[in-house]
Amino acid sequence: MRVLSGIQPSGSLHLGNYFGMMEKMIDHQEHSELFCFIANYHAQTSLSDGKTLAKGTLEAAANFLALGLDPEKSVFWVQSDVPEVQELAWLLSNFTPMGLLERCHSYKDKVTRGIAANHGLFAYPVLMAADILLYQSDKVPVGKDQKQHVEVTRDIAIKFNNEYGDIFTLPEPEIDEEVATVPGLDGQKMSKSYGNTIDLFLEEKVLRKQVMRIVTDPTPVEAPKNPDTCNIFTLFRLFLDKEEEQVLRARYLAGGLAYGTVKEELFATIRDFFAPFTARRNALLAEPDNIRQILAQGAEKARYHANKTLRKVRKKTGLVY
Ligand code: ADP
Ligand code: TRP
């Protein structure tokens, strides 16, 4: 089974991104054919500063590699290094009804939030369809917000296949309902846009400050506390096995536990958990040419698969004369 997903290189990562997506994605390399790319063309719909995008792309690659993505076990590349995807996007455009794009929530939400309604933003789902179909993907792990885009991809693929025969594999979105939403410092969903994140790869001091900002209730130290309504506990659980969780739960229920103490323990746990990843990320970023080389090799592999599809499509659509 071929699993494909793309990630925009949009700055820092938080615990929600790690436990909600990256950890699972990287796990796919063990039992599926994993195709993972950095969606830098897509990022251009919301970022015009070239230097920031270039830096973000290298950092996104370092993040994935540091967290365990293995370029030997997967195909890992930067979207724009296989520009064939743009040709396919054009060819798919001719099978994309305007109404299909006009109904996309993500487009409507972005315009409501004040992002300029330009053609790139409008055509975003067609490029995403090209990403998915070019590599004949079976499964596309995405967050709930991207589910509609995978459905649009299927609609376009069906129209195209109806015209030209079975060219494209029809992809399925994979949405893991089991992954509980990781809460932020204030108990709402952890999200960059809410400013309530605990980020990965922070300096110790900054990480400590973020953890200390977790919102707690005013129960006095001596009183028993409810772990199930406590933001510190919910975050701590991500790092504990069942037994350790029971021990912490018992300490909550017994009373006499200060939230400050649990925060200190959580801080140390997060720091130690990510320390090897942070060290690896720093080492990778110190040698950006090595990252570029890994990405170039990935692009070469991706390109091979891309051209297999594109050759068929060019022929069917009359571009080969
Ligand atoms: P943000 O909300 O911070 O902008 P993104 O939308 O960039 O995050 O998230 C990328 C992916 O990370 C999402 O598709 C989702 O799978 C995962 N993710 C983000 N926040 C969380 C969270 N709080 N809990 C679980 N998964 C999350
Ligand atoms: N639009 C996706 C996001 O913002 C990123 C993306 C681009 C993607 N192309 C894709 C995801 C193809 C899955 C498949 O998260």
Side-chain angles (χ1 to χ4, degrees):
M1 189 181 58
R2 186 167 292 175
V3 177
L4 172 140
S5 198
I7 318 294
Q8 291 196 38
S10 51
S12 56
L13 289 175
H14 53 71
L15 292 182
N17 298 137
Y18 180 71
F19 288 104
M21 172 190 61
M22 298 183 79
E23 191 193 32
K24 279 185 295 149
M25 183 76 178
I26 292 170
D27 200 43
H28 274 298
Q29 74 192 5
E30 304 304 334
H31 16 256
S32 316
E33 219 186 328
L34 175 64
F35 279 58
C36 177
F37 68 96
I38 298 167
N40 60 342
Y41 281 139
H42 279 106
Q44 288 180 318
T45 60
S46 57
L47 179 65
S48 56
D49 183 70
K51 279 204 182 105
T52 307
L53 180 61
K55 183 162 174 274
T57 302
L58 272 177
E59 284 176 357
N63 293 343
F64 259 106
L65 294 168
L67 291 170
L69 188 99
D70 182 346
E72 300 294 324
K73 291 185 183 166
S74 59
V75 183
F76 180 51
W77 76 104
V78 175
Q79 188 181 29
S80 65
D81 285 341
V82 186
E84 283 87 340
V85 75
Q86 293 292 358
E87 183 175 353
L88 184 61
W90 169 255
L91 295 167
L92 297 178
S93 286
N94 302 309
F95 291 82
T96 310
M98 291 292 282
L100 197 60
L101 298 181
E102 277 159 359
R103 283 194 294 278
C104 284
H105 308 303
S106 167
Y107 171 73
K108 290 191 282 192
D109 290 351
K110 285 175 185 163
V111 174
T112 311
R113 278 192 278 133
I115 300 179
N118 64 29
H119 176 256
L121 199 65
F122 189 64
Y124 182 114
V126 185
L127 181 58
M128 187 158 156
D131 289 325
I132 296 169
L133 300 176
L134 189 58
Y135 302 101
Q136 306 287 0
S137 318
D138 299 297
K139 284 256 181 294
V140 183
V142 282
K144 284 192 193 109
D145 59 321
Q146 297 292 321
K147 183 170 176 240
Q148 191 185 27
H149 289 158
V150 183
E151 288 161 359
V152 166
T153 302
R154 284 179 66 92
D155 286 349
I156 298 173
I158 289 169
K159 262 178 156 298
F160 198 95
N161 284 353
N162 280 342
E163 181 75 26
Y164 296 115
D166 278 344
I167 301 279
F168 295 124
T169 304
L170 296 186
E172 303 266 357
E174 180 185 73
I175 293 168
D176 197 335
E177 301 289 352
E178 281 198 356
V179 173
T181 302
V182 176
L185 300 173
D186 54 358
Q188 285 193 83
K189 172 187 185 269
M190 186 177 285
S191 170
K192 272 195 290 287
S193 31
Y194 300 152
N196 64 355
T197 60
I198 296 179
D199 296 329
L200 268 47
F201 311 123
L202 291 176
E203 270 181 50
E204 202 166 319
K205 260 210 240 143
V206 186
L207 172 63
R208 190 166 181 282
K209 250 195 199 148
Q210 286 195 349
V211 174
M212 293 303 148
R213 280 178 49 218
I214 297 174
V215 177
T216 50
D217 63 35
T219 316
V221 175
E222 325 73 65
K225 298 179 182 62
N226 182 356
D228 296 315
T229 55
C230 176
N231 296 326
I232 317 171
F233 186 81
T234 321
L235 288 168
F236 219 147
R237 278 178 54 187
L238 297 167
F239 298 89
L240 303 178
D241 61 28
K242 284 271 166 307
E243 222 169 278
E244 292 165 330
E245 186 182 324
Q246 283 312 321
V247 173
L248 184 61
R249 179 177 289 278
R251 288 171 67 205
Y252 266 78
L253 297 173
L257 180 68
Y259 285 131
T261 309
V262 199
K263 282 184 182 177
E264 286 292 351
E265 290 173 19
L266 176 60
F267 153 68
T269 302
I270 298 177
R271 180 197 57 199
D272 295 348
F273 183 87
F274 288 107
F277 301 126
T278 306
R280 195 163 143 62
R281 178 178 187 268
N282 291 340
L284 283 157
L285 283 172
E287 308 269 2
D289 278 343
N290 288 350
I291 304 179
R292 291 189 184 99
Q293 199 188 340
I294 291 171
L295 292 170
Q297 284 164 356
E300 203 177 311
K301 284 200 255 175
R303 206 161 200 173
Y304 165 79
H305 293 281
N307 276 305
K308 251 182 22 187
T309 303
L310 199 56
R311 267 198 299 276
K312 276 193 242 169
V313 176
R314 296 184 106 239
K315 197 160 171 207
K316 288 280 186 189
T317 54
L319 294 178
V320 179
Y321 54 88

